[in-house]
Amino acid sequence: MAARPLHLGWFMNFTPGEWDSPMAAGGSPWDGRFYVDMAQALERACFDYIMIEDTLMVSEAYGGNSEVYLKHATMAPKHDPAPLAAIIAAATSKIGVVATMSTTFYPPFLLARLASTLDSIAEGRFGWNIVTSGEDGSAQNFGMDKLTEHDLRYDIADEYVDLVCQLWDSWEPDAVIRDRETNTYADFKKVHAIHFAGKYFKSRGPLNTVRSPQGRPTFVQAGGSPKGRQFASKYADSIIAVANGIEGMKSYRDDVRARAAAQGRNPDDIKVLFVVSPILGTTEQEAYARKKAGEEDPNFIEQSLASISSVTDIDFSQFDLDAPLPELETNGERGSLDKFAQWGSGKTLRQLVLDAGGTSNSVDLVGTPDQVAEKIGETMAAVGGDGFLITRPHTTFVSNEYIGDICEGLVPALQRRGLTRTQYTKSTLRETLREF
Ligand SMILES: Cc1cc2nc3c(=O)[nH]c(=O)nc-3n(C[C@H](O)[C@H](O)[C@H](O)COP(=O)(O)O)c2cc1C
């Protein structure tokens, strides 16, 4: 048994799902049931949480129009994550359910109420993936010409989180008394206005809903830039990250843990999960053949470039695939650009796309379930912790086959090695993350 098991999360997109493979029936219906089934499979495999990503636009970053995005259903169309989080929560009882919501676009009071409601529905298993958003296209859907400057977005988010935390605390834990003698549901002396007046936001409070089981949702964050890492290490219960190889993961984790300690937090209260996309086969040859088939898919390069274009607002269709990238800057996701570009490596754009594997893979995991489980154990031992955020490989949609590979092939192989949990022992997501 390893000293400390790993935590597992799953990164999912609420998209149409697999629709064009020979085994697909045209895409999962938009009723979300495919993802409910998926969450139940992840719960049987004892994942800590399922994380639903979100952005708020149909991108035109690649090639100057939406053709590639809509043709391949890349990043759009997608549904709102919050209702899906609610139905997943209602159909599960142990797994954490995390939804992405942006501090740049949600009014804080509405976000605080929505997240609190979801935490009540999930009986303490809801998490908020705190993002600041990275695309001008989203800003233009909300009446702005372009996004606020990158670091300023984090300053605003900092005040935003302070405000929503005050709203969540506006109900004391024992405010609901349900006293039949005095015919009183809630004690008004224990529900407080907050009179928040900051630099960017004002809100009177109190929240008009009860305190949720966790008090505040579990916080997930993915800051990659120095400013983003500072923000993440101040608030997050779990940081989700991309990095290049063991060295990259180790230095990222060491950095955010040091930042957390410097801000008076116990670094062990933050679980850093790195994005990976294992590719499995019943034999090693079969796994590598699958990897190769994904890379040789005629759409692979275009879809990969469209994805990185979307999150950075840089049009990657303009660059030569067989030359190194020029120096680039973004007001969007800086950490994601740095991870993709591997500055100074001299690699061609084509090689960068292959390295990323279509998903920002942090380390290559290809082989039989036992081989990959072994490599996961070695990797985590070298990095120091804390676990992985799994997502589908290449640019394909998640499929039942892939969910089965992970939940019925890889996870049992990890469990046999004592590397992941075999049961849940806690009831809230924050407690589950802090169990080890
Ligand atoms: C695994 C992972 C998932 C992310 N999910 C989202 C998301 O759903 N929506 C979003 O707007 N940004 C998402 N991001 C982007 C982050 O919020 C952040 O902008 C990015 O990691 C770059 O950090 P930086 O802005 O500090 O450079 C994600 C990033 C990572 C690594």
Side-chain angles (χ1 to χ4, degrees), residues 361-425:
N361 210 4
S362 300
V363 62
D364 250 356
L365 297 170
V366 187
T368 64
D370 277 314
Q371 288 172 328
V372 170
E374 204 61 32
K375 186 157 181 199
I376 284 182
E378 288 161 14
T379 304
M380 274 294 104
V383 172
D386 301 295
F388 289 106
L389 187 73
I390 294 181
T391 192
R392 86 284 176 272
H394 304 122
T395 45
T396 51
F397 296 104
V398 69
S399 60
N400 280 321
E401 187 189 7
Y402 189 63
I403 296 165
D405 283 359
I406 299 296
C407 294
E408 287 158 38
L410 179 60
V411 170
L414 290 166
Q415 288 171 334
R416 285 196 292 277
R417 289 165 174 74
L419 287 171
T420 55
R421 73 171 88 242
T422 53
Q423 59 176 345
Y424 296 95
T425 62

Side-chain angles (χ1 to χ4, degrees), residues 287-330:
Y288 275 98
R290 284 181 171 179
K291 176 172 156 67
K292 193 155 174 276
E295 289 169 359
E296 286 172 356
D297 181 308
N299 299 321
F300 172 62
I301 294 214
E302 185 176 67
Q303 280 182 261
S304 296
L305 291 177
S307 297
I308 189 75
S309 295
S310 174
V311 300
T312 58
D313 262 345
I314 295 169
D315 182 2
F316 279 84
S317 72
Q318 64 185 301
F319 302 120
D320 182 349
L321 271 175
D322 295 304
L325 276 179
E327 280 291 312
L328 297 168
E329 284 185 358
T330 179

Side-chain angles (χ1 to χ4, degrees), residues 11 53-54 100 129 131 150 154 222-225 228 240 275 333-335:
F11 177 42
E53 64 85 47
D54 194 35
T100 300
N129 179 30
V131 300
H150 179 275
Y154 279 115
S225 61
I240 49 178
V275 175
E333 296 187 17
R334 288 196 184 148

Side-chain angles (χ1 to χ4, degrees), residues 55-290:
T55 48
L56 292 156
M57 37 98 230
V58 177
S59 185
E60 296 186 359
Y62 182 82
N65 62 49
S66 60
E67 181 181 356
V68 169
Y69 297 98
L70 294 180
K71 183 174 164 202
H72 302 301
T74 298
M75 325 260 314
K78 71 171 66 151
H79 266 351
D80 189 310
L84 180 63
I87 61 169
I88 288 177
T92 53
S93 60
K94 303 285 185 198
I95 191 170
V97 187
V98 180
T100 300
M101 294 183 275
S102 172
T103 54
T104 302
F105 303 121
Y106 283 68
F109 189 91
L110 283 182
L111 182 136
R113 191 174 67 153
L114 179 56
S116 177
T117 303
L118 285 167
D119 194 44
S120 289
I121 289 173
E123 296 176 304
R125 292 175 292 121
F126 180 66
W128 171 31
N129 179 30
I130 310 174
V131 300
T132 59
S133 295
E135 321 85 10
D136 286 341
S138 298
Q140 287 154 13
N141 286 334
F142 291 84
M144 301 155 70
D145 292 332
K146 59 188 182 72
L147 269 185
T148 324
E149 190 277 325
H150 179 275
D151 284 7
L152 179 58
R153 290 202 302 278
Y154 279 115
D155 290 336
I156 297 172
D158 200 36
E159 187 180 298
Y160 189 113
V161 176
D162 181 15
L163 164 53
V164 291
C165 286
Q166 290 191 33
L167 285 170
W168 288 319
D169 287 339
S170 64
W171 284 63
E172 290 184 31
D174 55 353
V176 173
I177 51 175
R178 278 188 286 242
D179 185 348
R180 287 175 192 263
E181 299 266 298
T182 57
N183 197 18
T184 305
Y185 184 78
D187 180 353
F188 83 105
K189 294 198 203 80
K190 295 186 171 172
V191 181
H192 309 285
I194 61 167
H195 297 295
F196 188 97
K199 192 165 169 193
Y200 309 103
F201 302 104
K202 254 178 116 172
S203 182
R204 185 185 185 283
L207 206 57
N208 63 340
T209 190
V210 295
R211 193 179 177 90
S212 75
Q214 291 185 108
R216 64 177 72 163
T218 293
F219 290 158
V220 176
Q221 224 282 326
S225 61
K227 192 88 176 171
R229 292 180 188 201
Q230 192 68 13
F231 178 80
S233 54
K234 180 170 176 186
Y235 294 112
D237 297 294
S238 179
I239 296 181
I240 49 178
V242 291
N244 281 314
I246 288 176
E247 275 317 302
M249 288 189 267
K250 186 165 171 19
S251 81
Y252 182 100
R253 181 170 179 269
D254 290 349
D255 181 56
V256 289
R257 285 174 61 84
R259 287 175 190 271
Q263 296 181 90
R265 292 190 67 196
N266 178 356
D268 292 340
D269 288 348
I270 305 177
K271 298 300 183 277
V272 184
L273 308 194
F274 291 99
V275 175
V276 286
S277 305
I279 301 179
L280 299 157
T282 49
T283 62
E284 191 177 356
Q285 290 83 339
E286 186 185 309
Y288 275 98
R290 284 181 171 179

